[in-house]
Amino acid sequence: MVCKSEIRNPKFFLPIRIGIRCAFVHADSMKIVLEYVAMLKLDGPATGSTMPIQEGTTIAALLEQLGIPERHRSVISPFVNNRQVSRSYILRDGDCVFLSMPIGGG
């Protein structure tokens, strides 16, 4: 899939492919796309939104920044660009982060 958009100065914008969606972010900023399951209620960015982060931010730091209680962080399974990663993973510009939680019951 190719992103089609008029860009006046492509040097300053980078295309980011997220599933079938595509977004353009400024090349000088570190941004990620944050998605999470509905049962993970956050008082911050909505799922699917673009979020600015500091360079060198890890998954663990992101979970803390999102205000997720420490006791709940251990049950969250983080995925970056459709691959499960550890909490020490250092996020990069344009990463798509998905936060999942195990579901149990019967």
Side-chain angles (χ1 to χ4, degrees), residues 66-104:
L66 292 170
I68 297 171
E70 192 171 339
R71 66 185 182 278
H72 294 167
R73 294 179 204 160
S74 63
V75 298
I76 293 174
S77 299
F79 291 80
V80 176
N81 302 325
N82 298 321
R83 291 190 175 167
Q84 190 167 12
V85 296
S86 69
R87 283 163 185 69
S88 62
Y89 178 87
I90 298 173
L91 294 164
R92 294 178 284 205
D93 189 37
D95 278 345
C96 183
V97 178
F98 179 72
L99 303 177
S100 178
M101 295 178 66
I103 298 174

Side-chain angles (χ1 to χ4, degrees), residues 9-83:
N9 191 345
K11 168 178 144 182
F12 294 108
F13 290 88
L14 301 172
I16 297 174
R17 237 182 268 170
I18 307 153
I20 59 170
R21 295 173 294 178
C22 189
F24 288 87
V25 296
H26 196 272
D28 292 339
S29 62
M30 284 275 296
K31 293 187 180 183
I32 61 167
V33 174
L34 178 65
E35 296 179 345
Y36 50 88
V37 293
M39 66 187 335
L40 182 61
K41 295 179 173 128
L42 298 179
D43 291 334
T47 188
S49 62
T50 301
M51 180 179 170
I53 60 167
Q54 296 287 328
E55 189 171 341
T57 299
T58 62
I59 291 289
L62 176 66
L63 296 176
E64 183 177 349
Q65 182 180 348
L66 292 170
I68 297 171
E70 192 171 339
R71 66 185 182 278
H72 294 167
R73 294 179 204 160
S74 63
V75 298
I76 293 174
S77 299
F79 291 80
V80 176
N81 302 325
N82 298 321
R83 291 190 175 167

